[in-house]
Amino acid sequence: MKFTNDELKDKIIEMKKRLHVTIVAHYYQRDEVFDIADITGDSLELARKTQDDDNEFVLFCGVGFMGQSVKVLTPSKRVVMPKIACCAMARMIDTLYFDESVEFLQKHDIKPEDVLPITYINSNADVKAKVAKMGGMVCTSANAKTIITKALQEGKKILFVPDRCLGQNIANMMGLKSCVIGDGTDPREADIICYDGFCSVHQLFSVDDIAFYRKKYPGILIAVHPECDPAICQAADFVGSTSQLINYIKALPADQKVAVGTEFNMVNRLREKNTYILSSTKPECPTMNETTLEDVYLTLKAIEDKNPINEIFVDEDVQKWAKIALDRMMAL
Ligand code: SF4
């Protein structure tokens, strides 16, 4: 039997209360899913806020590495996902590619003990664990500059995975030299050596889009996420993480036009007027958009039937080391 969205919403609200399940949703989720969540935020906010929640079951609407982060930080929780959706960027690196990157540096006479690896939070738990075992840590787009500043004080080169754009953008902001593995540059000349991963959604914005909006609406501001290409970030008025973008845009005067280079669902609910998407295409994250109200309902139904589906499990050793990588970041 098919239910309407309103019927599904009513059922979900009744079931999550009765079954003591906390629904968590990332900012990039569809509006109807975002609306029924108890906790919303960016990836780190979600993992942190969920730690303080009393319910045993967390129904996580987001992508795989985010659900893993909740499990890593709070292993006693049972984390289930309506869809085991993957982040395209997180899938671009695994532990073998990480080892190959370290070998690439060794071939250029850069010893592992002279390298400090930093992984963007958008990576799977096994990669975070690898990074921790080499003395490294996690960063987010909001704190990457702080983390890299501290890391450089150790006098080491930084291996930054998996997002080349974030690594290069931070290097540009800090006046540091960067390179991307495989771009032909000698890594000995770089302070930050970036792995060649990227976010497919944030690659949709172009310098031509910025020129278009500046010509069409003189005085418009351009605000973008640091997962965008360095050329876009250099041409923008503001570069910030998801939470920083939200705060920046909400603080603008109502008549100030702004074009935003990040995911569509989040931008679309920020402001009623004078906010534009910095692209002629709709920059939706396909995997974030996979989760529907029906998926949420079926996941709750499986909990009710005592047969939970899509539960996240993390190997004990991986959990321990991935937590160390996250804790090192939080300590800074
Ligand atoms: Fe991954 Fe990009 Fe989707 Fe974020 S928007 S989950 S980085 S693919």
Side-chain angles (χ1 to χ4, degrees):
M1 181 185 162
K2 272 271 177 207
F3 299 111
T4 65
N5 267 5
D6 284 344
E7 287 169 335
L8 279 172
K9 271 189 187 178
D10 290 345
K11 279 182 178 298
I12 288 168
I13 289 165
E14 183 277 319
M15 287 171 88
K16 70 174 182 176
K17 279 189 192 146
R18 176 166 50 81
L19 299 168
H20 304 290
V21 176
T22 301
I23 299 184
V24 173
H26 188 268
Y27 286 127
Y28 294 178
Q29 289 290 302
R30 297 166 179 229
D31 287 348
E32 62 267 30
V33 173
F34 194 79
D35 288 348
I36 47 95
D38 304 292
I39 297 176
T40 57
D42 62 25
S43 48
L44 183 62
E45 278 173 333
L46 294 180
R48 271 189 174 150
K49 288 180 188 170
T50 310
Q51 277 182 304
D52 301 327
D53 183 75
D54 291 334
N55 286 336
E56 182 193 13
F57 270 101
V58 175
L59 192 155
F60 197 99
C61 305
V63 287
F65 79 83
M66 297 176 182
Q68 279 186 336
S69 294
V70 174
K71 187 73 184 169
V72 162
L73 287 177
T74 323
S76 58
K77 292 219 176 273
R78 298 190 67 181
V79 184
V80 289
M81 299 188 67
K83 281 271 163 70
I84 299 280
C86 294
C87 162
M89 181 199 289
R91 286 195 69 176
M92 288 179 191
I93 190 163
D94 59 16
T95 55
L96 289 178
Y97 282 137
F98 180 84
D99 289 342
E100 279 182 15
S101 303
V102 176
E103 280 164 24
F104 168 84
L105 298 183
Q106 282 178 293
K107 279 185 196 149
H108 288 82
D109 301 325
I110 303 172
K111 296 186 196 119
E113 55 269 32
D114 295 329
V115 176
L116 194 99
I118 295 179
T119 182
Y120 188 24
I121 195 161
N122 293 28
S123 54
N124 288 325
D126 53 356
V127 172
K128 291 187 176 88
K130 271 263 172 189
V131 163
K133 285 179 184 175
M134 257 183 89
M137 67 196 92
V138 173
C139 77
T140 67
S141 50
N143 64 25
K145 204 171 153 189
T146 311
I147 300 284
I148 286 177
T149 304
K150 290 278 181 192
L152 285 171
Q153 287 168 0
E154 293 191 21
K156 295 184 177 183
K157 286 197 182 292
I158 289 172
L159 171 61
F160 192 89
V161 303
D163 187 10
R164 65 162 187 250
C165 293
L166 181 60
Q168 288 177 297
N169 284 323
I170 299 296
N172 290 343
M173 271 180 226
M174 296 175 72
L176 298 169
K177 285 188 186 159
S178 65
C179 73
V180 178
I181 292 177
D183 72 356
T185 311
D186 186 338
R188 284 170 292 199
E189 289 168 14
D191 305 299
I192 303 180
I193 301 146
C194 306
Y195 183 81
D196 194 10
F198 57 88
C199 165
S200 48
V201 180
H202 288 91
Q203 297 306 298
L204 291 174
F205 309 105
S206 72
V207 174
D208 286 348
D209 293 326
I210 296 181
F212 169 84
Y213 273 109
R214 291 217 193 272
K215 191 169 173 205
K216 185 163 181 182
Y217 301 118
I220 194 169
L221 294 172
I222 308 292
V224 302
H225 193 281
E227 287 172 20
C228 294
D229 188 88
I232 311 292
C233 293
Q234 277 167 353
D237 299 295
F238 181 80
V239 181
S241 67
T242 300
S243 303
Q244 289 164 343
L245 282 171
I246 291 171
N247 293 338
Y248 173 79
I249 293 161
K250 284 193 170 168
L252 291 175
D255 59 350
Q256 172 63 57
K257 289 184 170 37
V258 62
V260 191
T262 192
E263 198 275 343
F264 174 83
N265 286 330
M266 189 208 91
V267 178
N268 197 35
R269 50 177 102 88
L270 278 181
R271 254 165 131 219
E272 276 192 15
K273 288 183 182 166
N274 291 325
T275 306
Y276 303 86
I277 297 286
L278 184 67
S279 174
S280 50
T281 55
K282 201 175 176 188
E284 284 174 323
C285 176
T287 49
M288 284 277 193
N289 264 279
E290 278 180 21
T291 305
T292 63
L293 278 183
E294 188 172 8
D295 296 327
V296 175
Y297 164 71
L298 291 174
T299 312
L300 284 167
K301 186 86 182 60
I303 294 172
E304 182 177 50
D305 295 343
K306 305 212 179 312
N307 190 21
I309 53 169
N310 297 342
E311 183 163 0
I312 301 276
F313 296 99
V314 180
D315 171 272
E316 214 175 297
D317 185 64
V318 168
Q319 186 274 330
K320 178 185 129 188
W321 283 99
K323 184 169 186 311
I324 289 171
L326 283 159
D327 285 345
R328 282 183 185 146
M329 168 183 74
M330 298 207 203
L332 289 180

